[in-house]
Every structure is written in structure tokens, then in C-alpha cells.
Amino acid sequence: MTDSATHPELHDFPTARLSVEHVTKTFTTQGGTVVALQDVSISIREGEFVCFVGPSGCGKSTLLNIIAGLEKPDSGKALINGSPITEPGRDRLVMFQEHALFPWLDVIGNVMFGLKQKPNLNNRERLEVAKYYLYLVKMDNFAHANIHELSGGMKQRVALARSLAPNPKILLMDEPFSALDAMTREQLYGDIQDIWQKRKKTIIFVTHNVREAVCLGDRVLLFTPHPGRIREEFKVPLPRPRNINDHDLADLSQRITAALKGYHQAGECD
Amino acid sequence: MKNITQTLIFFLLLILIWAGITGDLSFMGLHCTLWSPYVLPSPSLVAQYLWDNTVNGKLPLSMLITLRRLLIGYVIGLVIGVPLGMLAARFRMVRNTVGVLGLGFQGLPSVCWVPLACIWFGQTEAALLFVVIMGTLWSVLLSTENGIRNVPPIYARAARTMGSSPMHTLLFVTLPASAPFVVSGMKQGWAFAWRSLMAAEIYVSVISGFGIGQYLHYGRELQRMHQVVGVMFIIILVGLLADKLLFSPAEVWLHRRWGTARD
């Protein structure tokens, strides 16, 4: 299996632009109501890699879930290529913080799960596509392994392959590397940039790690809580592939961290 | 290998002691017979009974009759219990009604249904089936409900974003995800069904067929204790075989796949 796999599914990479218009979302908890998002608007280009950064409770995961169609906004709307998002769909696949792989299927069975929902492929084609994506995340030697036999990093690689295989237009990543050790994470930063450059998908990446955001994103959106909203936007003009240990990257992430602390000291985040 | 040896030696010793106190073994021409064969029959009497009645076809036939009842009742119990358990897991209303009913009936030994079953259905197959179903249904229902409610919600969320419809998610995500619970519920249901059927057969004589339990009953009536003990052996054997042939392979697969190791 090489990069020259034959199926057209493997050469056509649809992508999409995304916009969020005046989205507000509140949750009622035992402690009262929490404004998770207040009047949030963003617009994301086709093939753009955008990172949402902020402390917990700032609404970044809620916004991701709204874009995924797993939650509905109280007011405002999210649009993909101009049409409103009302429910989950395989044009927008989510990679979760926990791997969410299915333990009753083996590795390739998991990657096949999303592919089986695509009616335009036959089983031979699905298998070819699944194998290709396992190769892409360097897990092709583990196609028939059980999920529990994999390390945390390997599980997230398989989860990435499972999200990429159905060829979504947008990939939504919700703190996917936060449970991994630093070494594994650094490897995955390289891999994800490589895959993104080959596939040019629109990616939204949620994290609370500023450095990670600067390493991966074209743009970093800084969220603050109470109420959750986007406070500042940082463009990341650094060349790719980026290494998380680069000086320039450290400088920019320091500026973002300083901004975040500024809001914190102003008493706006607690 | 060591495990098998230990087990074999243990059972050989048990049989030796049994043979020793029931007069099967002689030592320097002396027999030790603590009890008469009407109280505790010797191994040779029991073996003779089992051999004769296997060769003349009586025991195999009654086993077939019993297993048929067991299987039909068990399958009906599953077919009703699993979907009801799924509904109870999904809808609070079902949980508050049928779920609570199940909890109550599960605590009721199903042999308690025998008197009513005889009045409702008479001395028929239906009465026996009813008792078996009552033994299976509730434990299967409760464990299915419990299993589904223990499935991490993230599985269904992941499936939905991959384009899986609610029905598809239920059948291909939630149900397999709850398999460890459902299988142990099926195993418990099987054990309950087996106990229920034996109790029912001992109580109820049915002209449509003479089951294993009925042989045990008539062994008691006729003071043929070697028959009673022989039938007890068969009942144990069926339980062991069901475990080894039906449930062990499924459990081994589940443990391997989920990584819940056991030695």
C-alpha cells in the first residue's frame, strides 16, 4: 500500500467553508445558568486550520459540538457552505478527547464503520480506503489488533484514520491529544500537519494548550468564559511544517498566554 | 494440564469415598455399607441405571423432550426480554413500569408460578413453557437494560457524526457495546430457565412427553434412589455442557476483544 492508491475516493478531497453567526447557548446546571456562548460569530475558509483556545468553561467545546450538529444553539446559526447545520453528518467528523473507538470491533473494523455508511462504495473499495488511511496514520501493521492492545497514541491514530476515512469536508478535533504523553504528542503534531497538507481539509482543533494551537493553526481564536466568547484572534504566519519547540512559535504562544492572563487578572475568567 | 489433573483427582477421590461407604468396594472380604441403597445408592447401581436406560433409549428420549422445552421457552424469553430491556433503557416510562415489575418478578422463584400455570394451561406443554419463560424473561430484561445504560454515551455520539441513523446506532453500536452485560444476563437467564424447568417437570406430569424432571419425580415415588441420583447427574451434565458449549466461547471472545483478561 502506497500513496498511489487507485480509488478516486482517495484523490478527491472535498472541503468546505464554515460560518457561525451570532450563536448563543446557555446551560442550566444546579448552580444556575451558565452562558456557554454569547453572540459568537466566526468565519472559516475552505481548507483552513483553526484552533480554539481557552480555559475550561469558555464554550470552545460547545461551539465545536454545535458545528458537529450534536447540540443546537439557543439563537444564531452555524452554516456549512451556506446551508444551516441541523444534525450530525459525515461531512463533519469529530475526533474526541477520549478515543471513542468501538471495543467490539478490531482496528480495521473501526475504520470501516464510517465507510459502511457511505452508499456509493462497495465493500472492496471500502476495505481499500480503510487500509489506505491506516497506512497514512502508520497503523497499517495493526489492522486486526484489538483496541485494548493499543497504546494511547496508537488509539488516537486509529481514531484519526476513522475520522479521515469517510472523507469529511471538515474535521472537528476536540482536545484529541490532551491525554497523551509529550513525546507521542510531538510525533502526532508532525503527522497531523503532514496529513492536513496532503488532504487540505478544513480543520477545527480545540485545545487548552496555547503552544499546541500555535504549532498547528493558521489562526488561533482565544476564548474567555463567563460568558463564553471569542476575545481575540491571532494569525500564525509561521512556515510549515512547524516544530513545537521553535523559537518563533514560543514567542507567539507567549503573547497569547499573556493576553489570556490579562483577561484573567481583569477578573473575567475565574 | 495441572488444572485438569487436580480436578480429576478430586472427583476420583469423591467417587472412591462414595463407593467405599455404599458397599461397592471390599477390603479383605469386608464391605462397608453405612446406608441402605434406598437412602444412598452405590455408584455401581447408579451407573447401571444410567447405562441400561441410555441403551434402551428412555433417557435420550426424555432428554430430547426436556431440552426442546428448555430451548423453546428460553428463546421466547430472550425474544421478549431483550427488546423490553432495550425499551426500558431508552424510555423512563417503561423503566418505571415494566422495569419495576421485572425487578419484582425476578426475585420470585419461578416455581411459584407452577400452581397458577397448571390452572391456566392445564397439564400441558404450555404450562411448562410458561414457567420457563417466567424464569428467563425478567433476568434477561434487567441485564439488557443495565447493559445498555452502562454504554458510554460517546460511542453513540461518535457513530452519529459518522452518519449512523438512530436505528443503526441502536443495532450496531449500543447493542454490541452492551454485549458483555447482555451475555452474562443470557447466561443467568439460562440458569434460571433450567432450574425452572426442572421444578416444573417435577411438579407437573404431562402426557405429551416424559422429561428428565419427571423421571426424577417418579424415582422418588417408587423409592428408586439410584434413578433419582442418576437423573441428578444428567441435570448437572446438561448445565455443564450448556456453559462450556454455549456461553464459554462467547465469553472468551468478549474477554479477548474487550481486554478484560481472566486466567
Side-chain angles (χ1 to χ4, degrees), chain B residues 183-249:
Chain B
V183 167
S184 71
M186 283 169 70
K187 191 174 164 179
Q188 195 190 27
W190 174 268
F192 282 164
W194 186 221
R195 281 156 180 69
S196 317
L197 181 59
M198 282 306 99
E201 282 191 346
I202 288 171
Y203 259 108
V204 187
S205 291
V206 176
I207 37 169
S208 52
F210 223 57
I212 286 288
Q214 281 136 0
Y215 270 93
L216 195 147
H217 171 69
Y218 285 104
R220 187 196 67 164
E221 297 266 290
L222 302 170
Q223 295 274 320
R224 292 160 59 91
M225 285 306 134
H226 54 281
Q227 180 172 334
V228 170
V229 174
V231 171
M232 281 165 68
F233 268 111
I234 291 176
I235 295 172
I236 292 170
L237 192 72
V238 171
L240 280 178
L241 283 179
D243 188 77
K244 290 283 168 240
L245 298 181
L246 288 175
F247 296 106
S248 267

Side-chain angles (χ1 to χ4, degrees), chain B:
Chain B
M1 205 56 220
K2 196 182 163 201
N3 295 339
I4 296 175
T5 318
Q6 281 177 346
T7 310
L8 274 180
I9 289 176
F10 174 73
F11 278 100
L12 263 172
L13 271 175
L14 273 188
I15 291 173
L16 271 176
I17 293 171
W18 178 20
I21 60 174
T22 49
D24 264 4
L25 296 179
S26 62
F27 181 68
M28 292 165 63
L30 290 172
H31 295 269
C32 166
T33 312
L34 287 181
W35 295 288
S36 86
Y38 302 111
V39 179
L40 184 64
S42 70
S44 62
L45 272 174
V46 173
Q48 189 68 47
Y49 167 79
L50 287 174
W51 174 252
D52 291 345
N53 287 276
T54 303
V55 173
N56 70 18
K58 278 184 184 168
L59 278 179
L61 180 69
S62 71
M63 212 136 119
L64 223 61
I65 290 167
T66 297
L67 285 180
R68 194 172 145 265
R69 288 169 183 157
L70 181 67
L71 220 62
I72 294 174
Y74 179 65
V75 168
I76 294 175
L78 282 187
V79 167
I80 304 173
V82 172
L84 268 184
M86 287 162 75
L87 287 175
R90 177 73 185 74
F91 299 106
R92 183 172 289 275
M93 206 267 279
V94 180
R95 194 151 69 241
N96 290 339
T97 52
V98 182
V100 177
L101 186 78
L103 213 56
F105 280 162
Q106 198 213 11
L108 181 76
S110 56
V111 65
C112 301
W113 286 104
V114 168
L116 281 176
C118 283
I119 288 177
W120 293 345
F121 302 103
Q123 309 266 98
T124 62
E125 291 288 319
L128 294 175
L129 280 183
F130 178 77
V131 175
V132 175
I133 292 169
M134 283 297 145
T136 312
L137 175 58
W138 309 112
S139 77
V140 169
L141 186 159
L142 291 177
S143 58
T144 305
E145 183 215 328
N146 186 31
I148 287 179
R149 268 151 46 85
N150 270 293
V151 173
I154 196 165
Y155 292 155
R157 286 162 72 90
R160 284 180 59 208
T161 68
M162 285 187 277
S164 167
S165 69
M167 197 58 186
H168 183 272
T169 302
L170 179 69
L171 291 179
F172 293 96
V173 178
T174 309
L175 209 54
S178 62
F181 288 89
V182 175
V183 167
S184 71
M186 283 169 70
K187 191 174 164 179
Q188 195 190 27
W190 174 268
F192 282 164
W194 186 221
R195 281 156 180 69
S196 317
L197 181 59
M198 282 306 99
E201 282 191 346
I202 288 171
Y203 259 108
V204 187
S205 291
V206 176
I207 37 169
S208 52
F210 223 57
I212 286 288
Q214 281 136 0
Y215 270 93
L216 195 147
H217 171 69
Y218 285 104
R220 187 196 67 164
E221 297 266 290
L222 302 170
Q223 295 274 320
R224 292 160 59 91
M225 285 306 134
H226 54 281
Q227 180 172 334
V228 170
V229 174
V231 171
M232 281 165 68
F233 268 111
I234 291 176
I235 295 172
I236 292 170
L237 192 72
V238 171
L240 280 178
L241 283 179
D243 188 77
K244 290 283 168 240
L245 298 181
L246 288 175
F247 296 106
S248 267
E251 282 177 321
V252 165
W253 184 85
L254 284 174
H255 284 299
R256 228 188 4 241
R257 193 63 124 191
W258 259 255
T260 45
R262 56 170 188 181
D263 63 4

Side-chain angles (χ1 to χ4, degrees), chain A:
Chain A
M1 181 70 55
T2 65
D3 230 350
S4 64
T6 50
H7 196 270
E9 180 82 12
L10 297 172
H11 296 283
D12 171 34
F13 311 123
T15 177
R17 73 198 143 78
L18 196 83
S19 56
V20 172
E21 295 173 0
H22 307 292
V23 161
T24 296
K25 175 88 183 171
T26 50
F27 290 108
T28 313
T29 63
Q30 284 172 335
T33 55
V34 177
V35 183
L37 292 168
Q38 188 172 59
D39 194 22
V40 170
S41 297
I42 46 175
S43 123
I44 294 169
R45 292 191 321 274
E46 288 190 356
E48 196 179 8
F49 199 138
V50 177
C51 295
F52 296 176
V53 188
S56 40
C58 68
K60 55 193 193 304
S61 290
T62 306
L63 186 57
L64 193 88
N65 284 335
I66 288 173
I67 294 169
L70 290 167
E71 277 172 37
K72 288 194 182 5
D74 298 337
S75 64
K77 55 191 169 183
L79 305 152
I80 176 167
N81 283 341
S83 45
I85 292 167
T86 53
E87 57 179 9
R90 58 169 173 268
D91 52 349
R92 290 157 279 131
L93 283 189
V94 187
M95 195 176 151
F96 297 93
Q97 179 176 1
E98 311 142 64
H99 58 81
L101 296 173
F102 300 146
W104 59 95
L105 299 172
D106 59 6
V107 164
I108 193 134
N110 268 280
V111 180
M112 291 283 280
F113 186 92
L115 289 168
K116 283 188 181 153
Q117 316 304 316
K118 295 191 82 168
N120 58 330
L121 297 176
N122 66 35
N123 275 331
R124 199 183 47 77
E125 292 167 329
R126 289 184 181 122
L127 199 64
E128 186 188 338
V129 173
K131 280 182 177 161
Y132 171 75
Y133 279 97
L134 281 180
Y135 156 80
L136 201 63
V137 299
K138 302 173 187 152
M139 287 295 293
D140 42 341
N141 288 332
F142 295 89
H144 296 289
N146 294 320
I147 300 306
H148 71 91
E149 293 164 333
L150 308 178
S151 69
M154 291 157 98
K155 282 176 188 159
Q156 284 304 46
R157 281 174 194 278
V158 176
L160 181 61
R162 183 172 76 167
S163 309
L164 288 169
N167 213 359
K169 294 181 178 129
I170 299 177
L171 188 56
L172 305 169
M173 306 177 81
D174 191 1
E175 305 192 29
F177 305 146
S178 61
L180 305 178
D181 62 90
M183 293 272 284
T184 309
R185 251 189 322 214
E186 279 185 33
Q187 257 184 350
L188 282 164
Y189 295 149
D191 292 345
I192 192 94
Q193 290 185 76
D194 184 42
I195 289 167
W196 174 70
Q197 279 186 322
K198 280 184 190 149
R199 290 289 171 271
K200 283 296 169 196
K201 301 225 175 286
T202 308
I203 297 184
I204 299 179
F205 190 102
V206 169
T207 176
H208 52 243
N209 183 334
V210 173
R211 195 113 162 205
E212 182 174 273
V214 175
C215 178
L216 295 174
D218 293 327
R219 242 189 321 158
V220 176
L221 303 181
L222 181 60
F223 283 64
T224 56
H226 314 298
R229 56 190 150 154
I230 299 171
R231 279 317 271 274
E232 221 173 318
E233 180 186 317
F234 299 85
K235 289 207 160 54
V236 188
L238 304 173
R240 290 182 189 271
R242 299 175 192 152
N243 184 320
I244 189 118
N245 300 311
D246 277 350
H247 266 296
D248 297 344
L249 205 150
D251 287 344
L252 183 52
S253 52
Q254 211 159 24
R255 265 176 42 220
I256 299 176
T257 310
L260 186 62
K261 278 194 181 138
Y263 296 123
H264 216 301
Q265 274 155 10
E268 292 178 33
C269 320
D270 41 21

